[in-house]
Each structure stands twice: as C-alpha cells, then as structure tokens.
Amino acid sequence: MVKPSCLVKPVSVTRIAGRYLAHQEGLPKLPVPPLQQTCERYLAALTPIVDPEELNHTRKLLEEFQKPGGVGERLQKGLEQRGKKMENWLSDWWLQTAYLDYRMPVVVHSSPGVVLPRMEFSDRQGQMRYAAKLIAGVLDFKSMIDNETLPVEYLGGKPLCMNQYYQVLSSCRIPGTKRDTVVNYTLDKRPPTHITVVHNFQFFVLDVYNSDGTPLTVDQIYIQLEKIWNSSLQTNKEPIGILTSNHRNSWGKAYDNLIKDKTNQESVRAIQKSIFTVCLDAPMPHASDDMYRTRAGVQMLHGGGSRWNSGNRWFDKTLQFIIGEDGTCGLIYEHAPAEGPPIVCFPMMVRTPMVPLRMPQKLHFNITPEIKMDIEEAKQNMNIMVHDLDMKVSVFSHFGKDFPKSQKMSPDAFIQMALQLAYYRIHKRCCPTYESASLRMFRLGRTDTIRSMSIDSDKFVKAMDDPNIEKVALLDKAVKAHRAYADMAIRGQAIDRHLLGLKLQAIEDLAALPEIFMDTSYAVALHFNLSTSQVPAKTNCVMCFGPVVSDGYGVCYNPMDTHINFAVSAFNSCQDTNAARLAQALEDALLDIKTLLEQTPKAKL
C-alpha cells in the first residue's frame, strides 16, 4: 500500500471554490458600541450587585471617563480605528486573553465536554463498529469543509460566520511557559491525512485516506481499529497524555523537556497534526441509572482520574471523541478555536473492494526519570481536580420548550429566570451571571455576555416567595428584559467585550490603566458566580463545563421539546456551593414558575 503523499481532495462535482471566502466577506464587521451606551448599561448591570455607596463612586468614575476629549473618548477612537483596520477588532484579543494567556489547566477550567446518548455495545466489536462509523461520519463532514459545501447557518434570517468549522480539525493547542499558541495544519502544503487513536494510554496514527485521496470505508476503519486494539492490550504504559492536564506553565516546562528527544518530538507532532483524536476508553465503575449521566459527564470532562481514563487523552487536541467500552460516548474539545454549537454538529454526521492496509503506526515515547516525575505530578494534580469537581447531570422531564412557548415566552429567558430564582433561594442574594451569546452574525465573531441578572430579574426573584406581591407582571418584565439584552448582545451591542476592548486598548496606549478598571465594582461585575450556556442540539445530548470562579457554578442546558437536559457543576472545596442542591432548586423553580403562570388568568399577562 503506497502511503498517501498528499491528501487529494475527494473528487466532487459540488466543490465550490471560493464560496467560503465570498460568504465570509459578505458578513458585516463586529461594531464598536457607542461609549455612552455602554457606560449607561454598565451602571444598570451594577445596580443590583453593588451597594449604593460603591455604585455612586463608580458613577463618578464613569462621568470622568466619558468627559469630552478625555480618556474614554481617546480609547473609543483607538478601538474604532482598530475596527476599521482589522477583520474583527475583538477576535485576536479574545483568543489571547480568554484562552491562550489563561494559565489554569484546560481540564475542568476551560474545555467543555459533551455527553451523547448511551450506546448498547454487546461486545468490544460493537465499540469498534460505532467508532468506525463515527470516524467515517466526521470524514464526510470534513469533505464538506474541504469542498466549501458546508451549508451556511442562519440566525433570525441572518447568515452566520462559518469560520469556526474551519478551525476545529487538524488543529491543536501548544503549551508555553508564559502563554500558549494554537496551530492549524489544514492549510499546509500536505494537510494531515491521519487521525490519532488512543487506547490503554497508547497513541496510534491511523491513516484514514487511501493513496488516491478517497476516505477509508467504515469496514476498512473497523479493521484498522481492531489492529490497534490488539496491539495495545497492556495497560502498564506510562500515561503520557496526562501531562496535558497540568497547569499550563508546568506543562509548558515539561513539554520543552519532553520534545528534546527526537522520538518524543515526532510522536507529539503526529498527535498535534492529526485531524482529530479518538479515545477508546476502558469501562468506568458501574453506576446506577440515576447516577449514570453524571458519571458520563465527568468522564467527558476529565476521564475519571489517573487510574481510569484521564491518561487516555491529549487534552490540548481541539477535538477528541470518546467511545467507552461500556457504551458511554461523547467528546471533549479545547475551547480556544471554537464554541459549543459548531462542535455539537460533528457527531451528528454518522454515515453508514478491500485493499490490505498498513498497520497503524504506534507512537513511541522515551520516558526519562524527569518525564516520569512530570507524569506523577500531573497524575496527582489531576486526581485533586477530579475530587474537587462536584457535578450533577439531570433531565428535567416535566416540560421542555413547549411550556414557555405556550405562554409566549422565550424558553431561554424562562430557564434563566428559574436559575436566578434557584440561586436566590439557596444563597439569599443575587449574583453576576454570565450567559454566552453568539457573535457569529459578524465576521470571525465569537461570543459576548448576556448578563441574565438584571434589575428586573432581581425584583422578580425577591417577590416570588412573598405572598403579598403580584408576581406575574414582574416575571413577564424580567423575561422581556432578558430577551432584549440577548437580542442586543447578538447584535454586538452588549457591554462586556466592549469594556474589555477599552481596557486592552488602554494597556496598549496609556501609561496607566483608567480608574474604572481598577474599581471594586469592575471586579465584582466580572466575578460570575453563575456561568451558564444554552447549547441546543437536535440529539438528546448535554454539554458540561466547570465553574469559572472558586465559589461559583457552571450550568449548561439543552432544551428539547418536552424535557430539558441540565449539567450543573461546582467545586467541593467551596462550602457554600453544591451542584445537586442547585439542580434540585432549579427543578423546583421551573415547576413553581409554571404553577404561577397556570394559576393566573391569561388576561393579566
């Protein structure tokens, strides 16, 4: 079998050269919102979360900041200039500050996992067959990307930026001792033609294209996976992949040491260049049906610890599909290149004359005593993270999108208000809340923040358990306020990325940071005790991620027609937070709001 010298694009009459570029150039640029508008909305967002004295102080700072000819105006002009010069004034800055400069481990703290519906494998051949179909399906998806025939997505009739789909395959994060980088090999003269498969902590290169450039069939892939399985039966190998789960500075140092050796460097490069990674996981300890979803969630997020599947990963790889021997399936992705919705599309693409194929190449690593110590340190740190993550994945089965829609309410705003109520009932206060909003209406758009906790949500949750107050009107107002903020955010008019832009512009242009960014209010506003995301999908899956602050929660949900999938996370090291308690409070809040609406005659709405 001749090794493919280069990936010949699958012959396809539908290839539309330049279609992607033409589509991208037709998208509007991300606007820089007006300075006064952002300052006013920032004050409104602070009103329910800081005390009056602090708010007054911030108001004065903002007045000073906005003075004609003052600092704010200068920074705003700088941002507007940047907006004219660049395709997107935010995207490079966001990639650096939100991801590549972030030094916490990507595991739990950054990379989301996705739990797919459980498969019933009667034997390990079932696991291999499913893996082969999944790989073939992703290769079909890849050919649409390569041929520029991927159907354009729309939101509210507006075309969306498709760039993230082009960043997910053949890409990888590279650790550094101070900041990381992301490499993408798609546009190389010889783009990658292999995936990596990891089984029992051992990595293999699997070529997935024939020498004529056609992708392997499901049957061919299945045969290759069998060969990989049979040549990695022992589990006594050092879990080299666990190094990628460590603190980024530690991993950056260990990485430099690891790749001094030529064999190691070649093996690491093969993983980084691969189109994506498939993790064939060992079975996890048995869990009751009630606990199964939660266990699957943590398996996707971190692998269960060093004695289970945490070493069966390369966490820097953008896309890793996880297929457990026990039928637990899903994926984990490194967040720097893309958001959830484009990622969730990948596993939906499963498709259903034999040539002898080369043996998949096993990747070898030379483990020096120093590397062995790095692995031990990473194992210990991983196990600490595993014990600290408190997770609850649940299905709310009483209703789904159907009920809020019947009440003419946005399902997302309805769920967010229930979440505000649940948090308030437990913690007796409201907190800054982050909900991600897509900026894909704009060229290279990523996300901005919907601040779900507002003056109106604050009034509603405080009134909800008071029998003397009329609540429906307050709920209606809160839901409408959320909807209005969400619409504003997807149109590029939210406040968080604009404030970040002004701050980064100040770092580039000024000797000192303006006072509004040193102000206590700014730190309070950015301490998101609730970090939330709606990731709707056609399949019955759910995404999970960790909290973004030590005393916070991560909440992800997929609202289906008649039920809602929730994943709630917290840290055990924080006494005040508890994932199962918030999940239960959320269920109660959803039911209580439904009861409230059903008890109120429609005319009042």
Side-chain angles (χ1 to χ4, degrees):
M1 177 80 188
V2 185
K3 185 168 190 280
S5 60
C6 170
L7 167 56
V8 183
K9 290 211 164 114
V11 181
S12 165
V13 288
T14 53
R15 167 144 174 78
I16 310 176
R19 177 184 153 186
Y20 163 70
L21 210 64
H23 164 72
Q24 290 295 107
E25 282 170 1
L27 292 169
K29 282 185 163 192
L30 179 69
V32 177
L35 184 63
Q36 188 187 344
Q37 171 185 292
T38 291
C39 291
E40 284 167 4
R41 287 174 177 172
Y42 175 45
L43 264 182
L46 289 174
T47 304
I49 50 174
V50 300
D51 60 50
E53 202 178 321
E54 189 64 51
L55 190 67
N56 219 17
H57 177 66
T58 304
R59 185 180 284 110
K60 286 181 183 140
L61 293 182
L62 284 167
E63 281 165 12
E64 183 65 30
F65 185 68
Q66 288 178 86
K67 273 188 180 161
V71 168
E73 203 172 275
R74 181 176 159 189
L75 296 176
Q76 178 77 0
K77 282 205 174 84
L79 267 191
E80 286 164 358
Q81 284 304 112
R82 184 181 165 93
K84 285 196 183 86
K85 282 203 310 260
M86 303 181 78
E87 274 210 278
N88 184 309
W89 63 264
L90 174 66
S91 55
D92 287 355
W93 269 348
W94 183 246
L95 178 66
Q96 290 297 340
T97 55
Y99 300 114
L100 304 182
D101 290 345
Y102 186 65
R103 305 323 286 155
M104 292 294 276
V106 292
V107 182
V108 174
H109 299 282
S110 174
S111 299
V114 178
V115 181
L116 292 170
R118 188 178 192 172
M119 302 305 295
E120 296 295 332
F121 300 141
S122 50
D123 51 22
R124 72 174 175 78
Q125 278 77 15
Q127 180 191 15
M128 298 297 122
R129 267 191 295 275
Y130 179 78
K133 282 182 185 172
L134 186 112
I135 292 164
V138 179
L139 294 178
D140 280 349
F141 197 88
K142 181 180 185 294
S143 74
M144 289 166 78
I145 293 173
D146 293 342
N147 294 334
E148 303 186 39
T149 56
L150 200 59
V152 169
E153 291 171 15
Y154 289 83
L155 180 64
K158 298 260 173 65
L160 298 182
C161 175
M162 300 299 283
N163 174 264
Q164 290 180 34
Y165 286 103
Y166 293 77
Q167 305 305 324
V168 169
L169 299 174
S170 313
S171 64
C172 196
R173 184 162 168 160
I174 313 280
T177 48
K178 291 201 171 68
R179 74 159 29 160
D180 294 358
T181 48
V182 170
V183 283
N184 189 318
Y185 294 96
T186 314
L187 298 174
D188 274 21
K189 283 196 185 71
R190 295 169 57 171
T193 57
H194 70 279
I195 66 169
T196 30
V197 178
V198 51
H199 177 238
N200 281 338
F201 311 154
Q202 295 155 73
F203 288 84
F204 293 81
V205 162
L206 170 52
D207 280 306
V208 286
Y209 290 90
N210 293 300
S211 52
D212 64 355
T214 55
L216 298 192
T217 64
V218 173
D219 290 343
Q220 286 176 310
I221 296 166
Y222 173 77
I223 288 167
Q224 296 299 72
L225 291 173
E226 279 281 285
K227 291 178 192 168
I228 286 171
W229 179 282
N230 290 324
S231 53
S232 54
L233 298 171
Q234 267 66 44
T235 56
N236 58 358
K237 297 288 186 273
E238 285 295 339
I240 195 83
I242 207 158
L243 289 172
T244 62
S245 70
N246 216 349
H247 186 280
R248 302 309 294 175
N249 292 359
S250 309
W251 167 218
K253 237 186 298 189
Y255 177 83
D256 291 343
N257 186 35
L258 178 70
I259 61 172
K260 279 180 194 156
D261 177 284
K262 196 164 183 294
T263 302
N264 295 349
Q265 185 174 19
E266 283 169 5
S267 294
V268 167
R269 198 67 77 239
I271 296 169
Q272 290 167 342
K273 281 189 163 180
S274 62
I275 302 166
F276 55 91
T277 295
V278 171
C279 311
L280 298 173
D281 272 14
M284 293 284 280
H286 184 72
S288 65
D289 285 353
D290 183 43
M291 284 307 295
Y292 171 74
R293 286 186 193 87
T294 298
R295 204 213 62 202
V298 297
Q299 187 176 346
M300 297 313 137
L301 271 184
H302 57 53
S306 64
R307 55 179 294 221
W308 299 104
N309 290 297
S310 295
N312 217 44
R313 306 278 184 275
W314 192 267
F315 287 107
D316 288 355
K317 194 73 194 135
T318 307
L319 193 54
Q320 300 190 90
F321 292 99
I322 297 160
I323 302 161
E325 204 177 313
D326 55 12
T328 307
C329 297
L331 59 101
I332 181 171
Y333 71 97
E334 199 289 300
H335 211 327
E339 263 68 57
I343 299 282
V344 173
C345 284
F346 276 91
M348 312 313 162
M349 299 289 298
V350 177
R351 64 169 176 179
T352 56
M354 299 296 286
V355 226
L357 296 164
R358 285 184 336 127
M359 180 73 190
Q361 174 206 344
K362 186 171 190 167
L363 295 177
H364 294 284
F365 290 93
N366 296 321
I367 309 289
T368 62
E370 202 176 343
I371 294 168
K372 175 103 172 84
M373 275 169 62
D374 289 336
I375 289 173
E376 287 310 310
E377 182 200 313
K379 276 187 187 176
Q380 284 174 9
N381 289 341
M382 170 56 98
N383 294 339
I384 291 166
M385 274 196 292
V386 165
H387 288 126
D388 195 22
L389 185 70
D390 173 23
M391 187 96 199
K392 180 68 181 169
V393 180
S394 57
V395 178
F396 177 80
S397 54
H398 303 278
F399 59 85
K401 290 184 291 194
D402 52 0
F403 179 72
K405 282 181 172 175
S406 75
Q407 302 294 309
K408 310 253 184 306
M409 286 182 171
S410 144
D412 183 56
F414 186 95
I415 293 166
Q416 285 285 337
M417 289 313 109
L419 193 50
Q420 288 300 315
L421 179 58
Y423 186 93
Y424 182 76
R425 282 172 167 177
I426 292 172
H427 297 283
K428 306 293 176 271
R429 65 179 185 91
C430 291
C431 70
T433 304
Y434 182 113
E435 181 187 359
S436 45
S438 172
L439 290 176
R440 284 178 58 207
M441 275 186 195
F442 304 101
R443 208 179 309 168
L444 304 183
R446 295 292 300 262
T447 59
D448 206 330
T449 309
I450 299 167
R451 285 186 169 265
S452 305
M453 207 277 282
S454 64
I455 294 168
D456 292 307
S457 74
D458 185 57
K459 283 180 183 157
F460 162 65
V461 300
K462 286 175 177 166
M464 182 63 186
D465 296 326
D466 184 333
N468 305 314
I469 301 179
E470 161 56 47
K471 297 172 260 289
V472 174
L474 293 175
L475 169 66
D476 195 45
K477 201 172 174 201
V479 163
K480 285 185 172 132
H482 183 275
R483 187 63 210 264
Y485 201 117
D487 288 346
M488 175 178 99
I490 61 173
R491 291 198 319 274
Q493 299 295 320
I495 62 172
D496 280 80
R497 302 298 180 267
H498 186 201
L499 288 169
L500 174 70
L502 292 165
K503 181 184 172 182
L504 294 174
Q505 192 69 40
I507 290 168
E508 282 190 10
D509 289 359
L510 306 176
L513 207 54
E515 279 193 68
I516 64 160
F517 300 117
M518 322 269 264
D519 181 27
T520 316
S521 293
Y522 190 60
V524 170
L526 293 180
H527 189 89
F528 292 109
N529 296 95
L530 278 174
S531 174
T532 74
S533 186
Q534 172 183 235
V535 181
K538 290 190 173 66
T539 50
N540 195 17
C541 64
V542 66
M543 187 174 277
C544 349
F545 48 77
V548 296
V549 293
S550 59
D551 58 343
Y553 298 94
V555 182
C556 197
Y557 50 96
N558 175 11
M560 310 290 282
D561 287 333
T562 58
H563 69 275
I564 308 167
N565 296 336
F566 282 106
V568 179
S569 64
F571 291 122
N572 287 316
S573 51
C574 176
Q575 297 303 300
D576 299 333
T577 57
N578 180 303
R581 190 173 58 177
L582 184 68
Q584 184 57 56
L586 183 52
E587 178 154 332
D588 296 342
L590 285 162
L591 290 170
D592 290 350
I593 294 174
K594 178 174 187 267
T595 304
L596 171 72
L597 289 167
E598 284 176 336
Q599 285 172 351
T600 309
K602 281 278 193 294
K604 282 199 180 175
L605 280 173

